[in-house]
Amino acid sequence: SCIQRHSSQVDHGVRARGVALMEVWRVRGNVPHEADSTAVLVALEEESLEEGDTVPVRLRLALAMAVVRCVNGVVDREQKSVRAAPVHMLAKGVGLPSWLVELRHRATHADLPSLRVLKAARSELLTYFEKAYWRPQLERLDAAERAVADVLRRRKKNLLENNDAATPIPHPTTLAAFLAPA
């Protein structure tokens, strides 16, 4: 994924570059909710590691807001009817764990959850986004890469079979013109 999963084996520099890349995406606009939420959760995790949880109230507030925004962003697009459907039903429909919906409600309308619970929610949300967004994205990119490689192989084979050595195989930047010749 663009921002590596929350693994202790991932270099913090790689994760920081992923978060920085998301900042560029945000400037360009139209960032998918899942990508933006992943970046926020990873940035909060990195900040927590750097500061050693020395300001737990600030981190709790930031994590609580991130959980609320993540859950709302996932379920909001599922609202299809004129009357609003219950958040827990929408979340169930997209495979979002019900305890995250309850935590969202608690953080919004009741007390601020503990840091331990919020960190567990962050981990669960990162796992959810990995499964529901990043893996399918990677699968689509892999499929597109295979399709382009297949087209290039067939085109090269056709050129070689026709003994058309005068036609060079173009640089990838001119791939579109190569795949759809005039």
Side-chain angles (χ1 to χ4, degrees):
S1 62
C2 175
I3 299 174
Q4 293 292 322
R5 206 163 178 276
H6 52 287
S7 166
S8 60
Q9 301 156 342
V10 175
D11 177 1
H12 295 290
V14 170
R15 292 164 53 117
R17 286 189 301 276
V19 170
L21 179 60
M22 283 307 307
E23 290 297 325
V24 173
W25 279 25
R26 287 183 188 117
V27 170
R28 296 175 70 189
N30 297 323
V31 178
H33 167 73
E34 295 85 348
D36 190 41
S37 292
T38 301
V40 168
L41 294 168
V42 169
L44 287 171
E45 187 172 40
E46 288 297 304
E47 183 178 316
S48 170
L49 292 172
E50 288 172 10
E51 294 184 8
D53 296 338
T54 57
V55 190
V57 171
R58 190 182 83 204
L59 183 57
R60 285 173 62 202
L61 287 167
L63 282 169
M65 179 56 75
V67 168
V68 169
R69 291 180 52 81
C70 288
V71 172
N72 286 348
V74 169
V75 299
D76 281 353
R77 88 170 59 118
E78 299 301 312
Q79 289 284 4
K80 307 268 194 258
S81 65
V82 175
R83 295 192 68 199
V87 173
H88 72 277
M89 294 300 292
L90 297 170
K92 183 178 181 180
V94 294
L96 194 63
S98 62
W99 75 271
L100 290 172
V101 175
E102 292 165 16
L103 183 65
R104 167 209 163 268
H105 185 82
R106 179 178 157 198
T108 304
H109 302 291
D111 61 325
L112 188 60
S114 73
L115 188 56
R116 182 182 60 78
V117 169
L118 290 164
K119 284 182 173 186
R122 175 184 57 207
S123 181
E124 185 73 28
L125 283 163
L126 286 169
T127 299
Y128 174 81
F129 289 135
E130 179 75 19
K131 179 184 81 173
Y133 180 76
W134 291 109
R135 283 186 199 155
Q137 286 293 315
L138 187 57
E139 289 167 8
R140 283 192 286 279
L141 287 171
D142 287 344
E145 185 179 335
R146 286 189 305 274
V148 168
D150 186 48
V151 167
L152 288 174
R153 265 193 303 282
R154 286 185 306 200
R155 184 85 164 133
K156 182 177 180 180
K157 181 181 176 190
N158 187 29
L159 289 172
L160 293 174
E161 286 175 356
N162 293 328
N163 246 349
D164 195 357
T167 306
I169 295 182
H171 189 273
T173 58
T174 59
L175 184 60
F178 181 70
L179 295 175

